Amino acid sequence: MNERDSLILGAFLHDIGKFYQRTRQNPLKYKDVEEDVYGYGGAHGKWGASFVEEYIPPVFRDDNLINCILKHHKPTKVLETYVHRADCLSAGMDRTKAEERGDPYTTPLYCLLENISLKDRGKRSKYSHKLQKLSLEKDKIFPVETHKNTIDSSSYNNLWNKFTEDIEKIIKKDNFSDYFFTLYYIMEKYTWCIPGAVYVSIPDIPLFHHLKTTAAIATCLYDTRGKEEFILLEGDISGIQDFIYQINSPQDSMKDTAKRLRGRSFYLSLMNETFGDYCLNALNLTVVNKLWSGGGHFAILAPSTEENRRNIEEIEDKINSFLFKNYQGDLGFILGIVEFSSDKLKDFSSLLKEMGKVLDRKKKEKFFRQITEEDLIFPLKKHVCPVCGKDYEENSDICFLCEDHKELGEKLPKYKYIYKINSTEPVNSIIKFEDFYTYWDFKPEGKLVTGYSINNTEFLEKPEDFNRAGFIFSGNHVPGTEYGTIKTFDEMADSSEGANFLGVLRMDVDNLGMLFTLGLGEDRPEDVSQSRKSISRIASMSFSLDLFFSGYLNKICEDFENLYITYSGGDDLFIAGAWNEILDVAKRINDEFYCYTGKNPELHASGGIYLCKGKYPIKRAAEHAADALENAKKETDKNSLNIFTCNVSWYKMNEVYSFAEKLLTYLEDNKITRTFIYNTLHLYKKDRTLFTLMDNKITRTFIYNTLHLDEKDRTLSIPLMSKFLYSLKRNIKDEAVQQELKNMFSSLWAFAPVWAGISMLKTRK
């Protein structure tokens, strides 16, 4: 094995000894090595070196690898120094000041998301993660109350035994690239829940993300010969939303729309992975250098060298030429570049802020070279696709891309694996990115095959089918019929309770950019051993959000019969389904996300819901839902749902929904009538327009103050209040119901469109 590979593997495994040591097992080798060899605080290096001897294939085992692990606290050679320095830079710390003062055998990994704050609420450690291998099950990935989270050597032993079982499954691999790639996913599966270090500050960085970023930094140090100069790359595919919902007309595109949308969304995920991997290969980097990937963008840490600068220009140019040629400007690609030195790694948030400015500027220059240098004439082709409206040459009913997207969307829920085939020769596959020699299919074909288990971390069940393996999380839940087919939008709408409407939900996390750049807080005197804004902590934050939206969202939707995840990933989602289930799942997602973040009141998502018929053009429905989401975010604290053109704070939503259900019960028991609710809603609309008609010459507050009304009565305009009370008396005979409705209307009047809309739609026949 060459020197560079030894360094990368050594950096990636430099702290694996902490995992081994916490089992309280004695290392089989190196147990007699003294501190003058491994250095102060570096005893875990003995366990790490022993792990190499016990579990790493002999073909990859050499002195460089062992010494990078054993001596990374007290380096004596250049490679060991690179690992030592990368270790410090990953955590944004000064090794001379770092000292583990907690109990590494019993201290859990605290919930990172619990401490994200723009208001400096102070450090919280109420929630932490259990020692469990990574999966999408709630009891595995959701944090629990720390005082109930018992961790001891038996917990570590159980996890270690499962870990080494998977490690032994790849012991016979002899290609380093394939071995390292597969090892990466095994490490993620088992070390995502282990605290990397137990310092004075809260231990909320997973061991995996510390190991990953240490290896990425060490690679850069090696390639720059220790100059500590880096490049942060961020790739971003633009035009995604318009591309997904690109439908020519409702009549021609109705058939297989749901499958095609799901396929397009996943197609873009595969495109993003293809572009990210192409960048890694062009820069001679490994998977550890890809800091995060999802939602149509990826980030890579690369060494700052003259060769890489040239390669980066060629990468962006090649990707844009491919997109320009094949999508005629519908999809674009920008590659942001920020060069920096090692001191900036202590405040990685500032680099993200700088990157945001770079990307904003480059979005205005999209396709600049293609427009100025390439032929802008696209020859007219034989046919026009009735689905997407693009012209094409093939003698078929629709263009090949729309056909591929339909097939992809149809097969995605049925297969456990998807395979990436790298080949310089054409491959018969569903998805082809021939310019990048990359093909994707649900069946392995070819010599260089990467197998990804979909939404399942048990990815080593069929190691004979691929050279390397991993797993991906993707929102791919679809509603099935009793005949084994996927429900159409029409069928989902017809399955709604009451009125046959399709609901469209869009949600995303509020203030995400600010949370990444400012939410980790400022370093304090007690944080001398570890920076709050380190690269490893930010990588972990990105992972945590994507795990919920790309992965766990499937588990939520499985509890419903008529929901279709069209898109999810990063920090946002798009779901279509029966309108009543869309409302229920929106509430459920909000409640689950609150628990997932350690009940952090500052980390929340807003949503927008639009209702339409099953045959309504999905592109327009998506646009309306986006408008609703934008309106929800106009609330002071955001954290709201917009439905029936009305914003409801999530804090108020349960009360509003419960009132709607109570109205529904009264309707079913004939205690109130639909006419009464309709008339009440009519009064609400008049109430909202009354003062507008007065040309804003007086205000509602002026009238209330003039009449000395109590605060609790400030819900309905005075001219309309008598009409409401009259309607209440005339239409409802039960005095107890009268009083209850009067009280509820008083506190929930502002949300009348929501509770009235829900109760009316659920009782429509």
Side-chain angles (χ1 to χ4, degrees), residues 37-272:
V37 175
Y38 58 72
Y40 175 73
H44 56 275
K46 297 191 296 182
W47 278 263
S50 183
F51 169 80
V52 171
E53 296 280 7
E54 294 175 56
Y55 296 103
I56 299 300
V59 67
F60 307 131
R61 198 187 308 154
D62 60 20
D63 290 342
N64 282 331
L65 171 61
I66 291 172
N67 287 330
C68 280
I69 296 171
L70 182 63
K71 300 179 180 180
H72 71 272
H73 274 238
K74 190 178 180 181
T76 58
K77 296 182 179 179
V78 173
L79 294 188
E80 299 156 22
T81 301
Y82 289 161
V83 176
H84 168 80
R85 184 61 179 149
D87 180 21
C88 297
L89 292 173
S90 168
M93 70 181 185
D94 181 350
R95 173 65 72 190
T96 61
K97 298 176 182 177
E99 181 180 355
E100 296 210 28
R101 300 186 184 179
D103 184 352
Y105 297 97
T106 61
T107 301
L109 175 70
Y110 288 100
C111 178
L112 171 62
L113 298 181
E114 182 185 9
N115 280 292
I116 305 300
S117 174
L118 298 175
K119 300 177 181 178
D120 193 18
R121 294 179 293 117
K123 294 180 180 177
R124 291 151 50 97
S125 55
K126 187 176 180 180
Y127 290 90
S128 58
H129 291 280
K130 294 186 287 187
L131 277 182
Q132 298 276 7
K133 63 182 179 181
L134 183 62
S135 78
L136 295 184
E137 299 300 325
K138 183 175 182 177
D139 63 341
K140 300 290 195 304
I141 60 173
F142 272 55
V144 297
E145 291 182 277
T146 299
H147 72 274
K148 297 179 181 178
N149 191 9
T150 303
I151 290 178
D152 53 28
S153 58
S154 65
S155 307
Y156 273 105
N157 263 301
N158 290 335
L159 193 65
W160 178 262
N161 291 336
K162 295 174 184 177
F163 167 65
T164 53
E165 284 178 12
D166 273 2
I167 289 292
E168 288 175 339
K169 291 178 182 177
I170 60 172
I171 195 73
K172 295 182 180 180
K173 288 193 176 294
D174 56 6
N175 177 281
F176 178 76
S177 179
D178 294 340
Y179 177 81
F180 186 75
F181 183 91
T182 309
L183 174 67
Y184 172 90
Y185 284 95
I186 295 176
M187 293 286 285
E188 181 175 23
K189 177 179 175 180
Y190 290 100
T191 64
W192 77 278
C193 58
I194 298 174
V198 185
Y199 296 118
V200 177
S201 55
I202 295 176
D204 56 4
I205 299 177
L207 179 60
F208 173 75
H209 290 102
H210 173 61
L211 296 175
K212 169 182 175 172
T213 51
T214 297
I217 294 169
T219 303
C220 296
L221 294 179
Y222 184 90
D223 288 352
T224 60
R225 298 183 180 181
K227 290 183 179 180
E228 299 193 4
E229 295 175 346
F230 307 89
I231 299 175
L232 177 64
L233 300 176
E234 183 155 348
D236 186 90
I237 302 173
S238 61
I240 285 179
Q241 299 299 328
D242 288 340
F243 179 79
I244 290 177
Y245 310 119
Q246 192 176 63
I247 302 296
N248 191 35
S249 69
Q251 291 81 14
D252 294 331
S253 63
M254 188 54 55
K255 186 178 180 182
D256 299 317
T257 297
K259 297 175 187 176
R260 192 168 290 112
L261 288 177
R262 173 63 261 168
R264 284 184 183 176
S265 175
F266 193 62
Y267 173 81
L268 289 170
S269 297
L270 300 182
M271 177 184 284
N272 190 59

Side-chain angles (χ1 to χ4, degrees), residues 695-729:
D695 294 326
N696 297 317
K697 292 180 180 178
I698 61 174
T699 65
R700 183 191 302 265
T701 303
F702 171 79
I703 293 179
Y704 286 136
N705 290 339
T706 302
L707 298 178
H708 305 291
L709 291 175
D710 292 335
E711 185 67 29
K712 64 182 178 63
D713 293 321
R714 299 186 180 192
T715 55
L716 184 60
S717 303
I718 305 307
L720 300 177
M721 192 175 295
S722 59
K723 290 186 177 182
F724 167 69
L725 294 175
Y726 173 76
S727 177
L728 194 65
K729 284 283 187 181

